[in-house]
Amino acid sequence: MAWKFCVCLVTFLTFHVAYSGHGVLFQTIKQRMLNEQRKKFYRADKLANVTTLYIEQPLDHFNRLDERTFMQRYHVIDAYWNDPGHGPVFLFIGGELPLEEREVNSGHHLEMAQKFHALIFGVEHRFYGKSVPNKGLTLEVLQYLSSQQALADLANFISFATQQYSLSDSNTWISIGGSYPGSLSAWMNLKYGHLIFGALASSAPVRAQVDFQEFNDVVGAGLSNTKTGGSAECLKNVIAAFSQVDQLIKEKQLPKLQEDFKLCENIASNLDIQTFVGTLQDPIEVAVQYNTGSGEFSRIGNVCYQMMETADPYKNLIRYTEDLLIHQQKKCLNASYESFLEEVKNYPWYYQTCTEFGYYETCKDGSQCPFSHMVNLDSDFAMCKDVYCILPEAVYTQVNFTNQYYGSDHPKNGRILFINGSIDPWHPLSVLESLGGNETAIFIDDASHCEDMAGHVTDITPALRQALDDIESTVKSWLDEAARQK
């Protein structure tokens, strides 16, 4: 692996959030959107006591001669667990975010824990949140950040928890996760089926893909969906606004763009151009992905209102960006490639995109992608090389390995329920139809990213309510089946 021999000796700091996206502004927007979504999950009438503890984990599970360790945070809820000898255990999996108490203490899994009298463990992902090695995340340490190591953490945790809480084979483990943790949940059942009886995988992009063109096609469909606050005119205006941005770039009117969008730094290179246009589209992508909350940047309807405010789509995009800066209390838009690199150093998730998943969003020719067609893979590949010393061919090789290792979107021999929503831009990389046997799928019309995980909140649609019933029925069938086998 070429990056081992490079001179990218960067020390990484703690982080807030990263998944997809191109700019610094994107991270603060996505964090706020996730907070909005978690507020929706968080039900004051459904709270339980949470105990937060730590487990010492090997830094490298696959080299037992390596004695280095780190402390991994986990949360426990035992308020509903009234049959320790036989009660089920829910393993709530953390991902590329800090896993806080409130996330474990809210949502549909908490409702099901009450219904099925389950013990809940919420395990934070290695190298995120408070589960970071004491010496920080140098490249030497980052090589141990992988989904394979994360799954081994969970397997080791199950062994630890079984002993600490006097569990036995009579206790059935169900893994639960959404987004990247949804993939981990599915993979946990595939790779450690002797430990995890069944897996709920919400919005799980189990097919790794370097060039993820389908993402923005779904965003475009969401912007035109009248049931979720969009319209054909909204999509038309977004396309027109970004087309004008592209035209100004082609005409080399970069000073005008710099002035119109209040850039902190001048556009000086092709990588700056890609970072800039990517930063413009990020908040719109996030609004479609989550479509939740009450803020002016939180829902498709809010975006469309602003992008249709006047008859000039380009001016609407300028106004939308200005309002976003005001909301974030920023004087200028930080959208240069160099500023993006500084951001990457604080977000370990980018390392996983370079070494496992890709997930880089572009617009394919002839599609209804509403954004700039200036965005290609150059800035993503440059980031992998400049920060982690990983070359483009290595990205492709490692993404292919991920699909070969886990089975992509056609896994075999699992007991997995895949749950996806039609306006979630990540759903093209998941399993959308039942594969036969115990690998089944639920596809929810007009549902957003991980929306099912909120549970029975007040504003759910009939389709989502039916999906929640189906999820609970599936979990009950698993528990009944496990009981018959014991």
Side-chain angles (χ1 to χ4, degrees):
M1 298 175 65
W3 56 268
K4 281 188 176 181
F5 305 100
C6 220
V7 293
C8 302
L9 300 179
V10 179
T11 298
F12 292 80
L13 307 176
T14 57
F15 74 106
H16 294 84
V17 57
Y19 200 36
S20 61
H22 310 82
V24 176
L25 187 61
F26 168 82
Q27 303 304 343
T28 55
I29 288 295
K30 184 170 182 184
Q31 181 68 72
R32 184 184 55 76
M33 294 288 266
L34 285 165
N35 289 338
E36 288 274 0
Q37 191 180 56
R38 286 172 175 177
K39 287 178 185 177
K40 187 176 180 180
F41 291 7
Y42 201 58
R43 298 278 297 280
D45 60 333
K46 294 180 178 294
L47 299 184
N49 290 328
V50 181
T51 302
T52 299
L53 301 165
Y54 287 81
I55 174 177
E56 187 174 14
Q57 291 277 18
L59 188 65
D60 183 4
H61 286 276
F62 307 113
N63 179 8
R64 291 298 180 177
L65 297 179
D66 188 338
E67 297 182 352
R68 291 175 296 173
T69 62
F70 72 100
M71 302 304 293
Q72 184 175 37
R73 179 168 63 161
Y74 70 95
H75 309 288
V76 187
I77 297 177
D78 61 5
Y80 317 117
W81 195 43
N82 62 7
D83 186 6
H86 299 87
V89 183
F90 289 170
L91 181 64
F92 189 82
I93 301 172
E96 76 288 7
L97 294 164
L99 184 63
E100 306 295 354
E101 288 185 7
R102 65 183 300 162
E103 187 174 0
V104 182
N105 199 14
S106 57
H108 192 214
H109 70 279
L110 195 75
E111 297 175 355
M112 290 191 291
Q114 291 174 297
K115 185 172 185 176
F116 299 118
H117 308 294
L119 173 65
I120 301 175
F121 291 112
V123 182
E124 190 168 65
H125 197 292
R126 63 166 46 208
F127 300 0
Y128 294 108
K130 295 186 178 179
S131 300
V132 177
N134 290 332
K135 296 183 179 180
L137 296 176
T138 63
L139 279 184
E140 181 184 3
V141 173
L142 271 181
Q143 66 181 299
Y144 303 109
L145 174 58
S146 70
S147 59
Q148 291 84 25
Q149 294 282 1
L151 295 181
D153 286 337
L154 295 174
N156 193 51
F157 176 83
I158 291 174
S159 177
F160 162 83
T162 297
Q163 184 177 26
Q164 289 291 111
Y165 291 83
S166 301
L167 305 177
S168 69
D169 291 340
S170 297
N171 299 104
T172 302
W173 288 74
I174 304 294
S175 61
I176 301 170
S179 197
Y180 167 51
S183 297
L184 291 174
S185 179
W187 296 335
M188 193 68 193
N189 180 249
L190 290 172
K191 296 300 183 180
Y192 295 93
H194 59 293
L195 300 177
I196 296 294
F197 190 82
L200 297 179
S202 176
S203 299
V206 290
R207 185 174 84 242
Q209 188 167 303
V210 176
D211 191 354
F212 186 15
Q213 297 178 333
E214 298 90 338
F215 184 98
N216 284 323
D217 291 343
V218 180
V219 172
L223 290 171
S224 64
N225 187 339
T226 57
K227 293 181 180 179
T228 57
S231 67
E233 185 180 358
C234 174
L235 175 60
K236 180 180 177 181
N237 277 19
V238 174
I239 291 173
F242 280 92
S243 294
Q244 188 163 347
V245 171
D246 281 358
Q247 186 61 37
L248 291 171
I249 292 172
K250 292 174 183 177
E251 294 172 359
K252 301 187 184 304
Q253 296 191 43
L254 301 183
K256 175 176 173 53
L257 290 169
Q258 291 160 190
E259 180 179 357
D260 287 348
F261 291 97
K262 297 183 179 180
L263 299 192
C264 300
E265 298 174 314
N266 293 339
I267 299 173
S269 68
N270 179 59
L271 293 178
D272 284 342
I273 290 173
Q274 291 199 40
T275 306
F276 160 62
V277 294
T279 300
L280 289 185
Q281 70 192 44
D282 282 337
I284 299 176
E285 291 176 336
V286 175
V288 175
Q289 177 171 324
Y290 290 101
N291 196 36
T292 190
S294 57
E296 58 183 315
F297 305 100
S298 301
R299 288 185 177 272
I300 294 171
N302 302 134
V303 171
C304 288
Y305 174 81
Q306 291 184 280
M307 289 303 298
M308 295 164 59
E309 192 170 6
T310 75
D312 188 331
Y314 179 74
K315 288 184 178 179
N316 292 340
L317 181 60
I318 293 173
R319 178 79 61 85
Y320 177 76
T321 307
E322 287 178 346
D323 290 348
L324 194 58
L325 287 172
I326 293 170
H327 188 267
Q328 296 295 320
Q329 298 181 333
K330 297 180 182 297
K331 295 181 178 179
C332 58
L333 184 63
N334 204 354
S336 71
Y337 177 67
E338 288 302 319
S339 66
F340 174 54
L341 291 188
E342 288 303 310
E343 172 204 358
V344 168
K345 297 172 186 178
N346 297 322
Y347 295 88
W349 172 253
Y350 288 108
Y351 176 81
Q352 288 192 263
T353 69
C354 296
T355 58
E356 294 192 83
F357 305 124
Y359 298 150
Y360 305 129
E361 300 145 17
T362 64
C363 288
K364 62 183 176 183
D365 293 336
S367 73
Q368 280 297 300
C369 173
F371 301 122
S372 172
H373 286 252
M374 294 290 180
V375 175
N376 56 37
L377 298 177
D378 288 353
S379 61
D380 297 302
F381 285 153
M383 175 269 294
C384 291
K385 180 177 180 294
D386 291 342
V387 180
Y388 307 116
C389 304
I390 299 173
L391 300 177
E393 54 267 31
V395 177
Y396 280 104
T397 297
Q398 293 175 106
V399 166
N400 289 337
F401 170 79
T402 298
N403 288 328
Q404 292 169 357
Y405 187 78
Y406 294 120
S408 187
D409 55 359
H410 47 273
K412 301 290 185 182
N413 303 319
R415 188 180 284 103
I416 309 166
L417 177 60
F418 293 95
I419 308 138
N420 287 280
S422 65
I423 66 168
D424 175 17
W426 292 96
H427 82 250
L429 299 184
S430 191
V431 176
L432 306 182
E433 297 181 355
S434 297
L435 300 175
N438 291 315
E439 295 178 339
T440 56
I442 294 174
F443 193 70
I444 312 168
D445 287 339
D446 306 322
S448 60
H449 191 64
C450 297
E451 192 171 0
D452 62 284
M453 298 187 75
H456 291 84
V457 294
T458 56
D459 58 348
I460 62 174
T461 64
L464 183 53
R465 187 177 298 277
Q466 182 60 56
L468 295 175
D469 291 344
D470 293 342
I471 293 167
E472 292 179 12
S473 295
T474 299
V475 172
K476 185 179 186 302
S477 71
W478 289 344
L479 297 177
D480 291 345
E481 180 182 353
R484 290 193 298 269
Q485 295 180 10
K486 292 172 182 176

